Amino acid sequence: MSDVAGGREPVLELRNVSTHYGLVAVLRNVDIQIYAGEMVCLLGGNASGKTTTLKTILGFVTPSEGEVLLGGEPVSGLSTTEVVRKGISMVPENRRLFGNMTVAENLELGAYQRTDRAAIEEDRERVLETFPRVRERLKQKAGTLSGGEQQMVAMGRALMASPKVLLMDEPSMGLAPILVDQVFGIIERIRALGTTIFVVEQNANMALSIADRGYVIQTGEVVLADTAANLLANPLMREAYLGEL
């Protein structure tokens, strides 16, 4: 694989990370590097270790070996609150909005750890410019929105944290094909704003079509890592991806 870093330090790095649930090894010696401004995807089938990778980054679980670094500084062992404060934000699987709260209130929750009111207002306006439909729904309860609209709100909420790295867990899950295209188009727009994105996704073709690079994980181990274009062209991709490409 070519040196995409050009000598730069990764903004987010998993260095030789192994994670266990009890005696069961879920991740084994995982190495991942993500550089500022990139979109990187992590691909794999069910029970491959994708979600555990995100949980390890966010501090829900602590690596049994190795470490997670943000901007070159270890964040392994910190609480999830501290990890978020240091600059990692998450768009969770199935959106997980607070359905009885308004769209505006859900967005405000994304900035709950911030005190820079002027910058928060600037980011809120940027989010609403990125998602015009969300602006139209600000007073509406989040639980009444369509799946696509809820995904926009979930992305907007995560962006309100002003993250150094935006994590996304299965953004296409449960959406109709036409909405999947829409959501990935929105991800492209977010990336164009300069946001660094690490997305976990089963829809390999769609993710690789807009990503810079990708990793393929199988039974807790990274089995392929390359540019998105090379992964799409790799004849081993189908086997490594459990035939789901």
Side-chain angles (χ1 to χ4, degrees):
M1 182 173 171
S2 62
D3 178 15
V4 298
R8 294 178 294 149
E9 285 290 321
V11 63
L12 177 64
E13 181 177 12
L14 279 72
R15 187 180 293 172
N16 196 36
V17 166
S18 295
T19 298
H20 288 70
Y21 293 145
L23 297 176
V24 178
V26 183
L27 299 181
R28 301 177 181 86
N29 307 117
V30 170
D31 287 301
I32 292 173
Q33 298 84 34
I34 301 165
Y35 298 90
E38 280 193 306
M39 177 180 165
V40 177
C41 57
L42 180 65
L43 308 171
N46 290 328
S48 59
K50 300 189 309 297
T51 297
T52 298
T53 300
L54 293 183
K55 288 181 176 180
T56 302
I57 293 170
L58 283 165
F60 288 127
V61 293
T62 302
S64 46
E65 296 177 15
E67 57 186 353
V68 179
L69 300 104
L70 180 66
E73 296 184 2
V75 293
S76 309
L78 297 182
S79 69
T80 301
T81 299
E82 291 173 303
V83 171
V84 172
R85 187 180 296 127
K86 285 183 175 292
I88 295 179
S89 189
M90 172 80 160
V91 181
E93 180 184 334
N94 293 324
R95 280 74 74 184
R96 299 192 186 175
L97 300 176
F98 292 91
N100 288 325
M101 298 174 68
T102 67
V103 169
E105 289 168 337
N106 272 273
L107 291 179
E108 289 168 12
L109 285 174
Y112 78 100
Q113 294 201 77
R114 299 175 61 184
T115 58
D116 49 340
R117 297 307 310 176
I120 290 172
E121 285 305 311
E122 289 178 6
D123 286 339
R124 184 177 188 273
E125 186 57 32
R126 191 175 297 113
V127 164
L128 297 179
E129 287 175 1
T130 305
F131 307 110
R133 184 71 61 84
V134 173
R135 189 191 296 274
E136 299 170 5
R137 302 287 193 266
L138 284 174
K139 295 182 180 180
Q140 193 169 327
K141 287 191 175 182
T144 66
L145 302 179
S146 69
E149 290 169 341
Q150 287 190 18
Q151 186 64 276
M152 294 178 199
V153 175
M155 290 180 185
R157 180 179 62 185
L159 289 170
M160 287 297 295
S162 189
K164 295 175 183 174
V165 181
L166 179 65
L167 308 180
M168 294 187 177
D169 189 6
E170 304 281 7
S172 72
M173 180 172 284
L175 298 180
I178 189 170
L179 290 178
V180 172
D181 290 340
Q182 183 181 21
V183 164
F184 275 91
I186 291 168
I187 294 172
E188 281 192 286
R189 298 213 309 265
I190 293 172
R191 186 274 184 86
L193 296 173
T195 305
T196 304
I197 300 173
F198 184 44
V199 59
V200 163
E201 181 57 67
Q202 285 200 30
N203 189 332
N205 281 313
M206 184 64 77
L208 290 171
S209 72
I210 65 173
D212 295 292
R213 295 186 297 116
Y215 294 83
V216 179
I217 191 169
Q218 188 174 17
T219 59
E221 296 184 73
V222 173
V223 294
L224 286 173
D226 211 329
T227 64
N230 286 347
L231 284 175
L232 280 169
N234 191 325
L236 297 176
M237 182 69 182
R238 186 176 300 278
E239 179 182 359
Y241 196 59
L242 308 178
E244 293 180 24
L245 182 64

